[in-house]
Amino acid sequence: MVTIGRRRWAIAEGYLPPGGEDDSYELRSHEAACILNAGDVDARVEITLFFTDREPVGPYVVVVPARRTLHLRFNELREPEPVPVNTPYSSVFESDEPVVVQHTRLDSRQAALALLTTIAYGDD
Amino acid sequence: MVTIGRRRWAIAEGYLPPGGEDDSYELRSHEAACILNAGDVDARVEITLFFTDREPVGPYVVVVPARRTLHLRFNELREPEPVPVNTPYSSVFESDEPVVVQHTRLDSRQAALALLTTIAYGDD
Amino acid sequence: MVTIGRRRWAIAEGYLPPGGEDDSYELRSHEAACILNAGDVDARVEITLFFTDREPVGPYVVVVPARRTLHLRFNELREPEPVPVNTPYSSVFESDEPVVVQHTRLDSRQAALALLTTIAYGDD
Amino acid sequence: MVTIGRRRWAIAEGYLPPGGEDDSYELRSHEAACILNAGDVDARVEITLFFTDREPVGPYVVVVPARRTLHLRFNELREPEPVPVNTPYSSVFESDEPVVVQHTRLDSRQAALALLTTIAYGDD
């Protein structure tokens, strides 16, 4: 199987729009980090969140199994604490195996949805 | 002619919105991988899809001729099986020649279309 | 002054939506390559366009003066020939000085505009 | 704490849509550079803006404290001068510590908002 990716990634932009619980799961506003583990070993990923005016929070720990992808919605993170809405943040991912991280947001605060995406910044 | 690109690429984010067959071909919801082969030799590209809860599917094989670009819509892939709609996935591209891969989605589930794009993650 | 960037860039995705001449210049559908030359020497940039089913077209030649940025709209290219609408293409940029290239599209085919952007793929 | 990022970044695309002061702060049109400093030392970042037809303006100086993120809106920059609206520009960031820079725009000129983002071009 393929080995592709890096062990450290950062997404400088982060923002959970408030509300939107009325929509279906797919069309509800959300911000996601898509994490691909194309290799043959499970990846343990530690996520740390950075804020404007307080100390970082984390690590949030997720496991991406071998040969699987995880489309992680930030608003579903629970431990050590939920991600606050309507608050700018950044995220750093540290994995023990090479992974690829991509940032996506769907914003349905208004009638027409808006989308954004970018491959995260990968470092070694 | 120019040689530019890499041989291995990954798109961590993937999602085919359901429906939308009523729209014109250009405005119908779709997700695409644009593959540029600027070199003088045809490129054979093997695509593998990764999912959340089952083994990868592939390879899907496409050829991008020398000095050509291919705007590949994922929902047109047929062999070894169609890409499921409304299901998160990731994709890895392995080419025998240097190519450049860019990810684009047009979402017309609602009245106003939404667009996203990013250069994929390139590796060696 | 700063020297930042690379001499070779590629944008795999390219597409000029048809029509839209009724809108103002700023809100009219367009696809742009933003080229930053932060250095102290004028940059001569040769652009080649790649298509699905015919030979590449180019070079289109633009000069980005020292310490200037050029927001180039593809639909304003004229020599050697205009860029066809409603046709997928890719573009390669070869500059004699380091520059930074970013791809942007504004799509106003429908009432609500859509935007996309990505830093292009830079190579050496 | 983590050290991740680079010291020099460029965003080739820049544009402040006019108007929009009627909306709430979150939904008002804006263009932002999100700057993450994941390290243990405050980062001093000098920003220079480049235009189409005049000399660069800057440096704008911002400090991103250790372990903090700054979601900087370009239209809030004041010294040495405000960023003009409806005018294409590019930006270069020079930091004395490693940071990660991501570009985002929210455009609410029309009823439906549009979003774009990309990790900036990082150099050393």
Side-chain angles (χ1 to χ4, degrees), chain A residues 2-3 5 34 67-69 102 104 111 113 119, chain B residues 8 12-13 51 54-55 90 103 110 118-119 121 123:
Chain A
V2 196
T3 302
C34 300
R67 300 181 301 280
R68 294 293 184 277
T69 183
Q102 186 168 349
T104 305
L113 61 83
I119 292 287
Chain B
R8 299 171 67 217
E13 220 268 330
F51 298 93
R54 60 170 172 135
E55 285 294 301
S90 298
H103 172 221
Q110 299 187 323
T118 187
I119 291 287
Y121 171 75
D123 213 332

mmCIF file with all atom_site columns, all heavy atoms in Angstrom, chain A residues 2-3 5 34 67-69 102 104 111 113 119, chain B residues 8 12-13 51 54-55 90 103 110 118-119 121 123:
data_model
loop_
_atom_site.group_PDB
_atom_site.id
_atom_site.type_symbol
_atom_site.label_atom_id
_atom_site.label_alt_id
_atom_site.label_comp_id
_atom_site.label_asym_id
_atom_site.label_entity_id
_atom_site.label_seq_id
_atom_site.pdbx_PDB_ins_code
_atom_site.Cartn_x
_atom_site.Cartn_y
_atom_site.Cartn_z
_atom_site.occupancy
_atom_site.B_iso_or_equiv
_atom_site.pdbx_formal_charge
_atom_site.auth_seq_id
_atom_site.auth_comp_id
_atom_site.auth_asym_id
_atom_site.auth_atom_id
_atom_site.pdbx_PDB_model_num
ATOM 1   N N   . VAL A 1 2   ? 0.279   2.341  -0.299 1.00 0.00 ? 2   VAL A N   1
ATOM 2   C CA  . VAL A 1 2   ? 0.986   3.599  -0.490 1.00 0.00 ? 2   VAL A CA  1
ATOM 3   C C   . VAL A 1 2   ? 1.379   4.220  0.842  1.00 0.00 ? 2   VAL A C   1
ATOM 4   O O   . VAL A 1 2   ? 0.619   4.167  1.805  1.00 0.00 ? 2   VAL A O   1
ATOM 5   C CB  . VAL A 1 2   ? 0.059   4.585  -1.207 1.00 0.00 ? 2   VAL A CB  1
ATOM 6   C CG1 . VAL A 1 2   ? 0.870   5.733  -1.773 1.00 0.00 ? 2   VAL A CG1 1
ATOM 7   C CG2 . VAL A 1 2   ? -0.767  3.916  -2.267 1.00 0.00 ? 2   VAL A CG2 1
ATOM 8   N N   . THR A 1 3   ? 2.554   4.843  0.898  1.00 0.00 ? 3   THR A N   1
ATOM 9   C CA  . THR A 1 3   ? 2.869   5.733  2.003  1.00 0.00 ? 3   THR A CA  1
ATOM 10  C C   . THR A 1 3   ? 2.952   7.132  1.433  1.00 0.00 ? 3   THR A C   1
ATOM 11  O O   . THR A 1 3   ? 3.779   7.418  0.570  1.00 0.00 ? 3   THR A O   1
ATOM 12  C CB  . THR A 1 3   ? 4.206   5.360  2.663  1.00 0.00 ? 3   THR A CB  1
ATOM 13  O OG1 . THR A 1 3   ? 4.114   4.018  3.105  1.00 0.00 ? 3   THR A OG1 1
ATOM 14  C CG2 . THR A 1 3   ? 4.455   6.260  3.856  1.00 0.00 ? 3   THR A CG2 1
ATOM 15  N N   . GLY A 1 5   ? 2.344   11.418 2.587  1.00 0.00 ? 5   GLY A N   1
ATOM 16  C CA  . GLY A 1 5   ? 1.939   12.404 3.575  1.00 0.00 ? 5   GLY A CA  1
ATOM 17  C C   . GLY A 1 5   ? 3.063   12.846 4.482  1.00 0.00 ? 5   GLY A C   1
ATOM 18  O O   . GLY A 1 5   ? 4.246   12.590 4.230  1.00 0.00 ? 5   GLY A O   1
ATOM 19  N N   . CYS A 1 34  ? -10.173 16.660 6.945  1.00 0.00 ? 34  CYS A N   1
ATOM 20  C CA  . CYS A 1 34  ? -10.181 15.326 6.349  1.00 0.00 ? 34  CYS A CA  1
ATOM 21  C C   . CYS A 1 34  ? -8.772  14.766 6.468  1.00 0.00 ? 34  CYS A C   1
ATOM 22  O O   . CYS A 1 34  ? -7.809  15.377 6.009  1.00 0.00 ? 34  CYS A O   1
ATOM 23  C CB  . CYS A 1 34  ? -10.598 15.406 4.891  1.00 0.00 ? 34  CYS A CB  1
ATOM 24  S SG  . CYS A 1 34  ? -12.241 16.119 4.709  1.00 0.00 ? 34  CYS A SG  1
ATOM 25  N N   . ARG A 1 67  ? -5.277  2.490  5.967  1.00 0.00 ? 67  ARG A N   1
ATOM 26  C CA  . ARG A 1 67  ? -6.058  2.472  4.706  1.00 0.00 ? 67  ARG A CA  1
ATOM 27  C C   . ARG A 1 67  ? -7.467  3.028  4.873  1.00 0.00 ? 67  ARG A C   1
ATOM 28  O O   . ARG A 1 67  ? -8.409  2.568  4.225  1.00 0.00 ? 67  ARG A O   1
ATOM 29  C CB  . ARG A 1 67  ? -6.124  1.042  4.140  1.00 0.00 ? 67  ARG A CB  1
ATOM 30  C CG  . ARG A 1 67  ? -4.766  0.418  3.824  1.00 0.00 ? 67  ARG A CG  1
ATOM 31  C CD  . ARG A 1 67  ? -4.920  -0.974 3.258  1.00 0.00 ? 67  ARG A CD  1
ATOM 32  N NE  . ARG A 1 67  ? -5.630  -1.874 4.164  1.00 0.00 ? 67  ARG A NE  1
ATOM 33  C CZ  . ARG A 1 67  ? -5.073  -2.485 5.216  1.00 0.00 ? 67  ARG A CZ  1
ATOM 34  N NH1 . ARG A 1 67  ? -3.791  -2.294 5.493  1.00 0.00 ? 67  ARG A NH1 1
ATOM 35  N NH2 . ARG A 1 67  ? -5.789  -3.268 5.998  1.00 0.00 ? 67  ARG A NH2 1
ATOM 36  N N   . ARG A 1 68  ? -7.615  4.025  5.738  1.00 0.00 ? 68  ARG A N   1
ATOM 37  C CA  . ARG A 1 68  ? -8.919  4.639  5.942  1.00 0.00 ? 68  ARG A CA  1
ATOM 38  C C   . ARG A 1 68  ? -8.786  6.159  5.892  1.00 0.00 ? 68  ARG A C   1
ATOM 39  O O   . ARG A 1 68  ? -7.690  6.704  6.053  1.00 0.00 ? 68  ARG A O   1
ATOM 40  C CB  . ARG A 1 68  ? -9.490  4.244  7.312  1.00 0.00 ? 68  ARG A CB  1
ATOM 41  C CG  . ARG A 1 68  ? -9.831  2.771  7.451  1.00 0.00 ? 68  ARG A CG  1
ATOM 42  C CD  . ARG A 1 68  ? -10.984 2.354  6.569  1.00 0.00 ? 68  ARG A CD  1
ATOM 43  N NE  . ARG A 1 68  ? -11.366 0.956  6.792  1.00 0.00 ? 68  ARG A NE  1
ATOM 44  C CZ  . ARG A 1 68  ? -10.759 -0.102 6.225  1.00 0.00 ? 68  ARG A CZ  1
ATOM 45  N NH1 . ARG A 1 68  ? -9.735  0.066  5.414  1.00 0.00 ? 68  ARG A NH1 1
ATOM 46  N NH2 . ARG A 1 68  ? -11.186 -1.326 6.466  1.00 0.00 ? 68  ARG A NH2 1
ATOM 47  N N   . THR A 1 69  ? -9.925  6.827  5.696  1.00 0.00 ? 69  THR A N   1
ATOM 48  C CA  . THR A 1 69  ? -9.973  8.279  5.780  1.00 0.00 ? 69  THR A CA  1
ATOM 49  C C   . THR A 1 69  ? -10.949 8.666  6.881  1.00 0.00 ? 69  THR A C   1
ATOM 50  O O   . THR A 1 69  ? -11.940 7.969  7.130  1.00 0.00 ? 69  THR A O   1
ATOM 51  C CB  . THR A 1 69  ? -10.388 8.899  4.432  1.00 0.00 ? 69  THR A CB  1
ATOM 52  O OG1 . THR A 1 69  ? -10.347 10.320 4.552  1.00 0.00 ? 69  THR A OG1 1
ATOM 53  C CG2 . THR A 1 69  ? -11.786 8.476  4.014  1.00 0.00 ? 69  THR A CG2 1
ATOM 54  N N   . GLN A 1 102 ? -6.627  17.860 4.945  1.00 0.00 ? 102 GLN A N   1
ATOM 55  C CA  . GLN A 1 102 ? -7.270  18.880 4.116  1.00 0.00 ? 102 GLN A CA  1
ATOM 56  C C   . GLN A 1 102 ? -8.386  19.542 4.918  1.00 0.00 ? 102 GLN A C   1
ATOM 57  O O   . GLN A 1 102 ? -9.129  18.885 5.633  1.00 0.00 ? 102 GLN A O   1
ATOM 58  C CB  . GLN A 1 102 ? -7.831  18.225 2.844  1.00 0.00 ? 102 GLN A CB  1
ATOM 59  C CG  . GLN A 1 102 ? -8.401  19.203 1.829  1.00 0.00 ? 102 GLN A CG  1
ATOM 60  C CD  . GLN A 1 102 ? -8.666  18.554 0.477  1.00 0.00 ? 102 GLN A CD  1
ATOM 61  O OE1 . GLN A 1 102 ? -8.234  17.423 0.241  1.00 0.00 ? 102 GLN A OE1 1
ATOM 62  N NE2 . GLN A 1 102 ? -9.368  19.241 -0.402 1.00 0.00 ? 102 GLN A NE2 1
ATOM 63  N N   . THR A 1 104 ? -11.832 21.842 5.221  1.00 0.00 ? 104 THR A N   1
ATOM 64  C CA  . THR A 1 104 ? -13.045 22.169 4.476  1.00 0.00 ? 104 THR A CA  1
ATOM 65  C C   . THR A 1 104 ? -14.060 22.810 5.396  1.00 0.00 ? 104 THR A C   1
ATOM 66  O O   . THR A 1 104 ? -14.193 22.427 6.553  1.00 0.00 ? 104 THR A O   1
ATOM 67  C CB  . THR A 1 104 ? -13.685 20.893 3.880  1.00 0.00 ? 104 THR A CB  1
ATOM 68  O OG1 . THR A 1 104 ? -12.722 20.220 3.088  1.00 0.00 ? 104 THR A OG1 1
ATOM 69  C CG2 . THR A 1 104 ? -14.883 21.246 3.010  1.00 0.00 ? 104 THR A CG2 1
ATOM 70  N N   . ALA A 1 111 ? -29.218 31.287 2.916  1.00 0.00 ? 111 ALA A N   1
ATOM 71  C CA  . ALA A 1 111 ? -29.969 30.329 2.101  1.00 0.00 ? 111 ALA A CA  1
ATOM 72  C C   . ALA A 1 111 ? -29.048 29.535 1.175  1.00 0.00 ? 111 ALA A C   1
ATOM 73  O O   . ALA A 1 111 ? -29.243 28.340 0.949  1.00 0.00 ? 111 ALA A O   1
ATOM 74  C CB  . ALA A 1 111 ? -31.023 31.063 1.280  1.00 0.00 ? 111 ALA A CB  1
ATOM 75  N N   . LEU A 1 113 ? -25.529 27.850 0.299  1.00 0.00 ? 113 LEU A N   1
ATOM 76  C CA  . LEU A 1 113 ? -24.350 27.382 1.018  1.00 0.00 ? 113 LEU A CA  1
ATOM 77  C C   . LEU A 1 113 ? -23.074 27.903 0.370  1.00 0.00 ? 113 LEU A C   1
ATOM 78  O O   . LEU A 1 113 ? -23.031 28.221 -0.815 1.00 0.00 ? 113 LEU A O   1
ATOM 79  C CB  . LEU A 1 113 ? -24.342 25.857 1.127  1.00 0.00 ? 113 LEU A CB  1
ATOM 80  C CG  . LEU A 1 113 ? -24.306 25.006 -0.111 1.00 0.00 ? 113 LEU A CG  1
ATOM 81  C CD1 . LEU A 1 113 ? -22.887 24.841 -0.625 1.00 0.00 ? 113 LEU A CD1 1
ATOM 82  C CD2 . LEU A 1 113 ? -24.881 23.638 0.227  1.00 0.00 ? 113 LEU A CD2 1
ATOM 83  N N   . ILE A 1 119 ? -5.635  22.206 1.052  1.00 0.00 ? 119 ILE A N   1
ATOM 84  C CA  . ILE A 1 119 ? -4.705  21.289 1.685  1.00 0.00 ? 119 ILE A CA  1
ATOM 85  C C   . ILE A 1 119 ? -4.036  22.058 2.829  1.00 0.00 ? 119 ILE A C   1
ATOM 86  O O   . ILE A 1 119 ? -3.669  23.219 2.673  1.00 0.00 ? 119 ILE A O   1
ATOM 87  C CB  . ILE A 1 119 ? -3.657  20.797 0.674  1.00 0.00 ? 119 ILE A CB  1
ATOM 88  C CG1 . ILE A 1 119 ? -4.302  19.890 -0.382 1.00 0.00 ? 119 ILE A CG1 1
ATOM 89  C CG2 . ILE A 1 119 ? -2.504  20.078 1.374  1.00 0.00 ? 119 ILE A CG2 1
ATOM 90  C CD1 . ILE A 1 119 ? -4.691  18.502 0.113  1.00 0.00 ? 119 ILE A CD1 1
ATOM 91  N N   . ARG B 1 8   ? 3.111   11.482 -7.327 1.00 0.00 ? 8   ARG B N   1
ATOM 92  C CA  . ARG B 1 8   ? 2.150   10.980 -6.357 1.00 0.00 ? 8   ARG B CA  1
ATOM 93  C C   . ARG B 1 8   ? 1.402   12.145 -5.740 1.00 0.00 ? 8   ARG B C   1
ATOM 94  O O   . ARG B 1 8   ? 1.992   13.110 -5.272 1.00 0.00 ? 8   ARG B O   1
ATOM 95  C CB  . ARG B 1 8   ? 2.871   10.164 -5.276 1.00 0.00 ? 8   ARG B CB  1
ATOM 96  C CG  . ARG B 1 8   ? 3.589   8.972  -5.893 1.00 0.00 ? 8   ARG B CG  1
ATOM 97  C CD  . ARG B 1 8   ? 4.486   8.273  -4.909 1.00 0.00 ? 8   ARG B CD  1
ATOM 98  N NE  . ARG B 1 8   ? 3.688   7.650  -3.879 1.00 0.00 ? 8   ARG B NE  1
ATOM 99  C CZ  . ARG B 1 8   ? 4.053   7.586  -2.609 1.00 0.00 ? 8   ARG B CZ  1
ATOM 100 N NH1 . ARG B 1 8   ? 5.171   8.145  -2.194 1.00 0.00 ? 8   ARG B NH1 1
ATOM 101 N NH2 . ARG B 1 8   ? 3.282   7.006  -1.730 1.00 0.00 ? 8   ARG B NH2 1
ATOM 102 N N   . ALA B 1 12  ? -7.443  14.585 0.283  1.00 0.00 ? 12  ALA B N   1
ATOM 103 C CA  . ALA B 1 12  ? -8.004  13.950 1.478  1.00 0.00 ? 12  ALA B CA  1
ATOM 104 C C   . ALA B 1 12  ? -9.519  14.112 1.526  1.00 0.00 ? 12  ALA B C   1
ATOM 105 O O   . ALA B 1 12  ? -10.217 13.297 2.126  1.00 0.00 ? 12  ALA B O   1
ATOM 106 C CB  . ALA B 1 12  ? -7.365  14.538 2.738  1.00 0.00 ? 12  ALA B CB  1
ATOM 107 N N   . GLU B 1 13  ? -10.013 15.157 0.913  1.00 0.00 ? 13  GLU B N   1
ATOM 108 C CA  . GLU B 1 13  ? -11.431 15.448 0.949  1.00 0.00 ? 13  GLU B CA  1
ATOM 109 C C   . GLU B 1 13  ? -12.096 14.926 -0.304 1.00 0.00 ? 13  GLU B C   1
ATOM 110 O O   . GLU B 1 13  ? -11.598 15.150 -1.415 1.00 0.00 ? 13  GLU B O   1
ATOM 111 C CB  . GLU B 1 13  ? -11.624 16.969 1.008  1.00 0.00 ? 13  GLU B CB  1
ATOM 112 C CG  . GLU B 1 13  ? -12.715 17.449 1.912  1.00 0.00 ? 13  GLU B CG  1
ATOM 113 C CD  . GLU B 1 13  ? -14.007 17.597 1.155  1.00 0.00 ? 13  GLU B CD  1
ATOM 114 O OE1 . GLU B 1 13  ? -13.957 17.874 -0.044 1.00 0.00 ? 13  GLU B OE1 1
ATOM 115 O OE2 . GLU B 1 13  ? -15.071 17.449 1.771  1.00 0.00 ? 13  GLU B OE2 1
ATOM 116 N N   . PHE B 1 51  ? -11.927 4.931  2.027  1.00 0.00 ? 51  PHE B N   1
ATOM 117 C CA  . PHE B 1 51  ? -13.206 5.193  2.673  1.00 0.00 ? 51  PHE B CA  1
ATOM 118 C C   . PHE B 1 51  ? -13.074 5.173  4.191  1.00 0.00 ? 51  PHE B C   1
ATOM 119 O O   . PHE B 1 51  ? -12.005 4.886  4.732  1.00 0.00 ? 51  PHE B O   1
ATOM 120 C CB  . PHE B 1 51  ? -14.238 4.167  2.204  1.00 0.00 ? 51  PHE B CB  1
ATOM 121 C CG  . PHE B 1 51  ? -14.500 4.246  0.722  1.00 0.00 ? 51  PHE B CG  1
ATOM 122 C CD1 . PHE B 1 51  ? -13.796 3.444  -0.169 1.00 0.00 ? 51  PHE B CD1 1
ATOM 123 C CD2 . PHE B 1 51  ? -15.415 5.165  0.228  1.00 0.00 ? 51  PHE B CD2 1
ATOM 124 C CE1 . PHE B 1 51  ? -14.014 3.539  -1.532 1.00 0.00 ? 51  PHE B CE1 1
ATOM 125 C CE2 . PHE B 1 51  ? -15.637 5.255  -1.146 1.00 0.00 ? 51  PHE B CE2 1
ATOM 126 C CZ  . PHE B 1 51  ? -14.936 4.443  -2.021 1.00 0.00 ? 51  PHE B CZ  1
ATOM 127 N N   . ARG B 1 54  ? -14.363 0.838  5.063  1.00 0.00 ? 54  ARG B N   1
ATOM 128 C CA  . ARG B 1 54  ? -14.101 -0.376 4.284  1.00 0.00 ? 54  ARG B CA  1
ATOM 129 C C   . ARG B 1 54  ? -12.776 -0.235 3.537  1.00 0.00 ? 54  ARG B C   1
ATOM 130 O O   . ARG B 1 54  ? -12.201 0.848  3.470  1.00 0.00 ? 54  ARG B O   1
ATOM 131 C CB  . ARG B 1 54  ? -15.242 -0.653 3.310  1.00 0.00 ? 54  ARG B CB  1
ATOM 132 C CG  . ARG B 1 54  ? -15.488 0.440  2.302  1.00 0.00 ? 54  ARG B CG  1
ATOM 133 C CD  . ARG B 1 54  ? -16.470 -0.058 1.232  1.00 0.00 ? 54  ARG B CD  1
ATOM 134 N NE  . ARG B 1 54  ? -16.891 0.992  0.353  1.00 0.00 ? 54  ARG B NE  1
ATOM 135 C CZ  . ARG B 1 54  ? -16.941 0.845  -0.985 1.00 0.00 ? 54  ARG B CZ  1
ATOM 136 N NH1 . ARG B 1 54  ? -16.616 -0.295 -1.550 1.00 0.00 ? 54  ARG B NH1 1
ATOM 137 N NH2 . ARG B 1 54  ? -17.342 1.843  -1.747 1.00 0.00 ? 54  ARG B NH2 1
ATOM 138 N N   . GLU B 1 55  ? -12.323 -1.341 2.947  1.00 0.00 ? 55  GLU B N   1
ATOM 139 C CA  . GLU B 1 55  ? -11.020 -1.356 2.289  1.00 0.00 ? 55  GLU B CA  1
ATOM 140 C C   . GLU B 1 55  ? -11.013 -0.434 1.058  1.00 0.00 ? 55  GLU B C   1
ATOM 141 O O   . GLU B 1 55  ? -12.065 -0.170 0.468  1.00 0.00 ? 55  GLU B O   1
ATOM 142 C CB  . GLU B 1 55  ? -10.665 -2.786 1.877  1.00 0.00 ? 55  GLU B CB  1
ATOM 143 C CG  . GLU B 1 55  ? -10.244 -3.667 3.057  1.00 0.00 ? 55  GLU B CG  1
ATOM 144 C CD  . GLU B 1 55  ? -8.935  -3.190 3.688  1.00 0.00 ? 55  GLU B CD  1
ATOM 145 O OE1 . GLU B 1 55  ? -7.916  -3.130 2.982  1.00 0.00 ? 55  GLU B OE1 1
ATOM 146 O OE2 . GLU B 1 55  ? -8.940  -2.871 4.909  1.00 0.00 ? 55  GLU B OE2 1
ATOM 147 N N   . SER B 1 90  ? -11.389 9.629  0.179  1.00 0.00 ? 90  SER B N   1
ATOM 148 C CA  . SER B 1 90  ? -10.151 10.303 -0.203 1.00 0.00 ? 90  SER B CA  1
ATOM 149 C C   . SER B 1 90  ? -9.602  9.615  -1.436 1.00 0.00 ? 90  SER B C   1
ATOM 150 O O   . SER B 1 90  ? -10.000 8.498  -1.756 1.00 0.00 ? 90  SER B O   1
ATOM 151 C CB  . SER B 1 90  ? -9.102  10.204 0.918  1.00 0.00 ? 90  SER B CB  1
ATOM 152 O OG  . SER B 1 90  ? -9.526  10.836 2.100  1.00 0.00 ? 90  SER B OG  1
ATOM 153 N N   . HIS B 1 103 ? -7.902  19.741 -7.184 1.00 0.00 ? 103 HIS B N   1
ATOM 154 C CA  . HIS B 1 103 ? -9.211  19.247 -6.761 1.00 0.00 ? 103 HIS B CA  1
ATOM 155 C C   . HIS B 1 103 ? -10.243 20.364 -6.866 1.00 0.00 ? 103 HIS B C   1
ATOM 156 O O   . HIS B 1 103 ? -9.994  21.476 -6.413 1.00 0.00 ? 103 HIS B O   1
ATOM 157 C CB  . HIS B 1 103 ? -9.088  18.768 -5.304 1.00 0.00 ? 103 HIS B CB  1
ATOM 158 C CG  . HIS B 1 103 ? -10.370 18.406 -4.637 1.00 0.00 ? 103 HIS B CG  1
ATOM 159 N ND1 . HIS B 1 103 ? -10.650 18.730 -3.340 1.00 0.00 ? 103 HIS B ND1 1
ATOM 160 C CD2 . HIS B 1 103 ? -11.451 17.743 -5.101 1.00 0.00 ? 103 HIS B CD2 1
ATOM 161 C CE1 . HIS B 1 103 ? -11.849 18.268 -3.015 1.00 0.00 ? 103 HIS B CE1 1
ATOM 162 N NE2 . HIS B 1 103 ? -12.354 17.669 -4.061 1.00 0.00 ? 103 HIS B NE2 1
ATOM 163 N N   . GLN B 1 110 ? -28.260 23.524 -3.889 1.00 0.00 ? 110 GLN B N   1
ATOM 164 C CA  . GLN B 1 110 ? -29.176 24.625 -3.608 1.00 0.00 ? 110 GLN B CA  1
ATOM 165 C C   . GLN B 1 110 ? -29.175 25.565 -4.803 1.00 0.00 ? 110 GLN B C   1
ATOM 166 O O   . GLN B 1 110 ? -28.420 25.396 -5.755 1.00 0.00 ? 110 GLN B O   1
ATOM 167 C CB  . GLN B 1 110 ? -28.740 25.328 -2.332 1.00 0.00 ? 110 GLN B CB  1
ATOM 168 C CG  . GLN B 1 110 ? -28.772 24.358 -1.146 1.00 0.00 ? 110 GLN B CG  1
ATOM 169 C CD  . GLN B 1 110 ? -28.502 25.065 0.155  1.00 0.00 ? 110 GLN B CD  1
ATOM 170 O OE1 . GLN B 1 110 ? -27.702 25.976 0.222  1.00 0.00 ? 110 GLN B OE1 1
ATOM 171 N NE2 . GLN B 1 110 ? -29.191 24.629 1.200  1.00 0.00 ? 110 GLN B NE2 1
ATOM 172 N N   . THR B 1 118 ? -8.477  23.252 -4.560 1.00 0.00 ? 118 THR B N   1
ATOM 173 C CA  . THR B 1 118 ? -7.140  23.318 -3.975 1.00 0.00 ? 118 THR B CA  1
ATOM 174 C C   . THR B 1 118 ? -6.203  22.475 -4.823 1.00 0.00 ? 118 THR B C   1
ATOM 175 O O   . THR B 1 118 ? -6.622  21.467 -5.404 1.00 0.00 ? 118 THR B O   1
ATOM 176 C CB  . THR B 1 118 ? -7.107  22.827 -2.507 1.00 0.00 ? 118 THR B CB  1
ATOM 177 O OG1 . THR B 1 118 ? -5.797  23.077 -1.959 1.00 0.00 ? 118 THR B OG1 1
ATOM 178 C CG2 . THR B 1 118 ? -7.383  21.344 -2.391 1.00 0.00 ? 118 THR B CG2 1
ATOM 179 N N   . ILE B 1 119 ? -4.967  22.935 -4.916 1.00 0.00 ? 119 ILE B N   1
ATOM 180 C CA  . ILE B 1 119 ? -3.938  22.048 -5.451 1.00 0.00 ? 119 ILE B CA  1
ATOM 181 C C   . ILE B 1 119 ? -3.836  20.865 -4.492 1.00 0.00 ? 119 ILE B C   1
ATOM 182 O O   . ILE B 1 119 ? -3.871  21.041 -3.270 1.00 0.00 ? 119 ILE B O   1
ATOM 183 C CB  . ILE B 1 119 ? -2.588  22.800 -5.553 1.00 0.00 ? 119 ILE B CB  1
ATOM 184 C CG1 . ILE B 1 119 ? -2.647  23.877 -6.638 1.00 0.00 ? 119 ILE B CG1 1
ATOM 185 C CG2 . ILE B 1 119 ? -1.445  21.824 -5.806 1.00 0.00 ? 119 ILE B CG2 1
ATOM 186 C CD1 . ILE B 1 119 ? -2.630  23.341 -8.070 1.00 0.00 ? 119 ILE B CD1 1
ATOM 187 N N   . TYR B 1 121 ? -2.173  17.462 -2.556 1.00 0.00 ? 121 TYR B N   1
ATOM 188 C CA  . TYR B 1 121 ? -0.891  17.295 -1.869 1.00 0.00 ? 121 TYR B CA  1
ATOM 189 C C   . TYR B 1 121 ? 0.027   16.452 -2.735 1.00 0.00 ? 121 TYR B C   1
ATOM 190 O O   . TYR B 1 121 ? -0.290  15.296 -3.036 1.00 0.00 ? 121 TYR B O   1
ATOM 191 C CB  . TYR B 1 121 ? -1.093  16.633 -0.503 1.00 0.00 ? 121 TYR B CB  1
ATOM 192 C CG  . TYR B 1 121 ? 0.221   16.244 0.130  1.00 0.00 ? 121 TYR B CG  1
ATOM 193 C CD1 . TYR B 1 121 ? 1.041   17.212 0.683  1.00 0.00 ? 121 TYR B CD1 1
ATOM 194 C CD2 . TYR B 1 121 ? 0.658   14.934 0.118  1.00 0.00 ? 121 TYR B CD2 1
ATOM 195 C CE1 . TYR B 1 121 ? 2.267   16.880 1.224  1.00 0.00 ? 121 TYR B CE1 1
ATOM 196 C CE2 . TYR B 1 121 ? 1.886   14.584 0.671  1.00 0.00 ? 121 TYR B CE2 1
ATOM 197 C CZ  . TYR B 1 121 ? 2.688   15.569 1.220  1.00 0.00 ? 121 TYR B CZ  1
ATOM 198 O OH  . TYR B 1 121 ? 3.903   15.236 1.741  1.00 0.00 ? 121 TYR B OH  1
ATOM 199 N N   . ASP B 1 123 ? 3.639   14.555 -3.552 1.00 0.00 ? 123 ASP B N   1
ATOM 200 C CA  . ASP B 1 123 ? 4.705   13.884 -2.820 1.00 0.00 ? 123 ASP B CA  1
ATOM 201 C C   . ASP B 1 123 ? 5.636   13.225 -3.839 1.00 0.00 ? 123 ASP B C   1
ATOM 202 O O   . ASP B 1 123 ? 5.351   13.176 -5.019 1.00 0.00 ? 123 ASP B O   1
ATOM 203 C CB  . ASP B 1 123 ? 4.080   12.808 -1.911 1.00 0.00 ? 123 ASP B CB  1
ATOM 204 C CG  . ASP B 1 123 ? 4.855   12.629 -0.614 1.00 0.00 ? 123 ASP B CG  1
ATOM 205 O OD1 . ASP B 1 123 ? 6.068   12.882 -0.596 1.00 0.00 ? 123 ASP B OD1 1
ATOM 206 O OD2 . ASP B 1 123 ? 4.229   12.239 0.366  1.00 0.00 ? 123 ASP B OD2 1
#
